[in-house]
Amino acid sequence: DGRVLGVPAQRTANTAAAARCIPSRTETPDGVEILVPTGKTPETRQCRTVVRVLATNEVLRGDAAKIVFLLITLSAAVVLLGIMLATRLARGLLQSVRDLANVADRMVGGDLNTRITPDGPEEIRRVGAQLNRMAIRVDHLVDEQRRHAADLAHRLRTPLTSLRLDIDALPSDEAARRLVHDHDAVTRALDEVIRAARRTASASITQSADLRAVLNERVEFWSVLAEDTARTIDCDPGPEALPVRADQQALAAMLDALLGNIFAHTPDGVSIQLSARRAGGDVRLTVDDGGPGFPDPRVIERGRSNGASTGLGLDIVRRTAEESGGRIRLDSSPAGGARVEIMLGVSEE
């Protein structure tokens, strides 16, 4: 009926077109104008009503800012969610790798009974399964070698028994008593070989012995041979007990290897000095002689020797030191001969 609803607006060419039922969308200096005709009459083919909507520039800019803010917020949320997921995945992956490394470290330390529960990505699960198989295989090989060594050592009991019978048949004199003493020493050493072959690595770590007592006992044993070869053994074990992480038989074998090497590779009359002291968290055992010294520092390697020996003496020393948590070092003695310095881990028992 001619009335205008809403905000008055000038009639334009677009308004006239809209009255003929032609909608339009036009950008104006004030904003975006949208004209929607409605109420078309069949007789005149015109629309009775035109709806005009003006989206002002202020409103559009406000909506655009809201949309940009919403997009930025949504993007930040997506990025944060991605970081959280990546962190969770990385933490799980690192935990799987850490568990794998811990089990490998325990295996290196001699605990072949440890196993890993495969977890994480497929590649890490495969590595864990292979590590378990390797531990089982190594454990079987070690057990087989122990049994083999024990069997070989046990086979020596028969000739030793025959030897003891022959010694007992000798007249009871000083030479016979020395042969009995030597036979008993060989028998004890053989028994220790059998026990060591059957003993697990973890059991040997828990052993403890007083180095001072073992040192005095072995020096007394070797003093008879030293007297026969015009040698002097100067032993300074210190005023207090020296408990170390090694069993008594292993320490005795280590000292026998050290002193036996000196008797075998130095001329008669060469003096020997032994001393043992605490050194921080370790016990230092020093063995000096006045012989020719070490011609090759690689004699510490297993099986290497410059003479007619098996080359296992210093390897026994090295292994005993390392199993106690220590080390061995070769040097020259003050007399120009050889010096062997052994660091042994202190036992807290």
Side-chain angles (χ1 to χ4, degrees):
D1 58 359
R3 287 180 302 168
V4 176
L5 303 178
V7 180
Q10 286 186 336
R11 292 182 177 272
T12 63
N14 290 333
T15 306
R20 295 191 300 273
C21 300
I22 302 174
S24 64
R25 177 185 179 282
T26 306
E27 293 188 6
T28 67
D30 296 330
V32 177
E33 181 188 59
I34 299 175
L35 300 176
V36 181
T38 184
K40 183 178 181 180
T41 58
E43 298 81 7
T44 61
R45 295 184 177 181
Q46 290 190 351
C47 294
R48 292 190 298 268
T49 304
V50 175
V51 178
R52 176 180 181 267
V53 176
L54 178 65
T56 62
N57 292 325
E58 290 80 5
V59 173
L60 291 176
R61 284 195 296 268
D63 290 343
K66 292 178 181 178
I67 292 173
V68 171
F69 176 76
L70 180 62
L71 289 175
I72 293 175
T73 304
L74 184 60
S75 300
V78 171
V79 171
L80 182 61
L81 180 61
I83 293 175
M84 293 174 62
L85 291 175
T87 302
R88 185 178 182 85
L89 292 174
R91 186 180 296 113
L93 178 62
L94 289 177
Q95 184 61 42
S96 300
V97 175
R98 190 179 296 112
D99 294 341
L100 192 66
N102 291 336
V103 171
D105 289 339
R106 289 196 295 271
M107 289 181 181
V108 171
D111 184 7
L112 297 179
N113 294 322
T114 185
R115 297 291 183 268
I116 185 172
T117 302
D119 192 13
E122 176 65 22
E123 292 78 5
I124 294 181
R125 291 200 300 269
R126 289 175 57 189
V127 172
Q130 294 295 336
L131 189 63
N132 288 340
R133 294 191 188 97
M134 183 187 70
I136 295 172
R137 178 60 176 163
V138 171
D139 196 19
H140 288 171
L141 289 174
V142 171
D143 286 341
E144 184 179 350
Q145 291 297 323
R146 286 199 192 104
R147 289 193 298 269
H148 187 58
D151 292 342
L152 289 177
H154 195 273
R155 290 165 59 183
L156 294 176
R157 289 186 179 276
T158 300
L160 277 176
T161 303
S162 300
L163 180 60
R164 181 56 184 264
L165 294 175
D166 293 339
I167 295 174
D168 291 340
L170 295 175
S172 299
D173 56 9
E174 182 62 27
R177 285 192 294 272
R178 290 183 59 180
L179 287 175
V180 171
H181 183 270
D182 294 342
H183 178 275
D184 292 340
V186 174
T187 302
R188 287 194 300 270
L190 182 61
D191 291 340
E192 173 56 25
V193 170
I194 297 175
R195 285 193 297 269
R198 294 174 177 172
R199 186 167 55 233
T200 61
S202 59
S204 63
I205 295 176
T206 61
Q207 298 293 325
S208 176
D210 181 10
L211 176 63
R212 184 174 184 271
V214 177
L215 185 59
N216 287 329
E217 190 268 333
R218 299 319 297 165
V219 168
E220 182 180 358
F221 173 82
W222 285 92
S223 61
V224 177
L225 182 58
E227 184 178 353
D228 292 341
T229 56
R231 300 174 186 267
T232 59
I233 300 180
D234 182 13
C235 180
D236 181 13
E240 59 181 357
L242 299 173
V244 296
R245 290 196 298 269
D247 59 60
Q248 184 173 351
Q249 290 79 11
L251 290 178
M254 179 189 72
L255 292 169
D256 287 344
L258 289 169
L259 294 172
N261 276 347
I262 296 176
F263 278 87
H265 300 292
T266 61
D268 293 349
V270 169
S271 60
I272 305 171
Q273 293 83 35
L274 299 97
S275 65
R277 290 290 189 276
R278 282 185 176 268
D282 297 322
V283 172
R284 180 188 292 113
L285 171 64
T286 305
V287 181
D288 293 330
D289 65 62
F294 294 114
D296 184 355
R298 293 176 297 174
V299 294
I300 197 173
E301 299 177 11
R302 182 175 179 85
R304 182 181 294 274
S305 174
N306 294 321
S309 66
T310 61
L312 301 181
L314 285 177
D315 183 71
I316 294 174
V317 178
R318 178 191 59 78
R319 188 170 64 251
T320 303
E322 291 179 353
E323 288 179 353
S324 74
R327 61 190 182 278
I328 179 175
R329 186 173 69 92
L330 305 183
D331 204 348
S332 298
S333 68
R339 162 172 285 188
V340 181
E341 185 179 271
I342 305 103
M343 302 298 290
L344 298 167
V346 174
S347 174
E348 301 300 332
E349 298 182 1

